[in-house]
Amino acid sequence: MWQGGVHAQEFLEACLHLSQIPDHPVAAHDVDLFHTVATVRVPGAMGSLLRHYDALPEGLLEADPAQLSDVLGGPSLIHLPGRRAQPLFVSVLLHGNETTGFMALQAMLQRYQGKELPRALSIFVGNVEAARDGLRRLAGQPDYNRVWPGSDHPDSPEKRMMAEVVDI
């Protein structure tokens, strides 16, 4: 399996089965794996960079990260139901050349094909345009890790998109 993939896949699986979210801060080295848990509300923002899906888009489980721009059409928020209604939030591909998280998520979702997830899952698939080119980010794009609400990054379409993701 790809480097780091086993750990990331096991971490995702463990999070899906959590009956309670820890009330202590997440260790800094796990922030990229475990961002937050949210109550989901699907907004209908016009003009947003963000695509919304309430089921797995066709081709997602078979796609190579470089194909995600064609499969999803842009950064996407995918909501999947599960036995427990409170969703686990997972973000992948904040940098287009960091594909391990996506591949671990893809492998886990393939195992659950045709089965109910243990808990609802909200997935943010970030910089699919950079992933298409195998780059961290494209020229002129901000770093997707630096545009979340509360950051010092100036207003931009990407920062507004991240605010939309947080406001789920």
Side-chain angles (χ1 to χ4, degrees):
M1 182 166 279
W2 64 98
Q3 182 180 7
V6 172
H7 172 71
Q9 195 173 348
E10 289 172 352
F11 185 84
L12 284 170
E13 184 76 26
C15 288
L16 274 179
H17 291 282
L18 283 175
S19 60
Q20 180 177 337
I21 302 305
D23 59 1
H24 60 281
V26 176
H29 61 275
D30 278 339
V31 168
D32 280 343
L33 292 176
F34 183 87
H35 282 277
T36 188
V37 173
T39 302
V40 174
R41 176 181 58 81
V42 178
M46 296 298 291
S48 172
L49 296 175
L50 190 63
R51 302 335 191 250
H52 293 269
Y53 296 92
D54 59 3
L56 283 177
E58 187 175 333
L60 184 74
L61 295 183
E62 300 78 30
D64 181 86
Q67 298 169 318
L68 290 174
S69 181
D70 293 329
V71 171
L72 297 173
S76 298
L77 193 56
I78 304 166
H79 302 290
L80 304 175
R83 281 192 299 277
R84 290 191 55 235
Q86 186 181 22
L88 173 68
F89 175 74
V90 176
S91 64
V92 296
L93 286 173
L94 294 181
H95 299 134
N97 63 348
E98 296 176 359
T99 60
T100 299
F102 172 73
M103 292 166 51
L105 178 68
Q106 193 178 44
M108 184 198 66
L109 290 172
Q110 287 169 346
R111 284 199 321 277
Y112 279 96
Q113 255 186 313
K115 301 176 193 168
E116 184 178 38
L117 289 167
R119 71 177 311 137
L121 191 58
S122 290
I123 305 162
F124 174 64
V125 184
N127 201 338
V128 296
E129 291 84 8
R132 178 189 57 230
D133 297 334
L135 300 172
R136 180 178 178 88
R137 61 188 172 125
L138 298 179
Q141 280 186 327
D143 184 325
Y144 275 30
N145 267 343
R146 305 290 179 255
V147 294
W148 292 92
S151 73
D152 292 333
H153 193 278
D155 186 46
S156 67
E158 292 85 0
K159 188 167 185 174
R160 288 189 298 276
M161 174 182 66
M162 295 309 189
E164 188 179 341
V165 169
V166 169
D167 189 31
I168 54 175

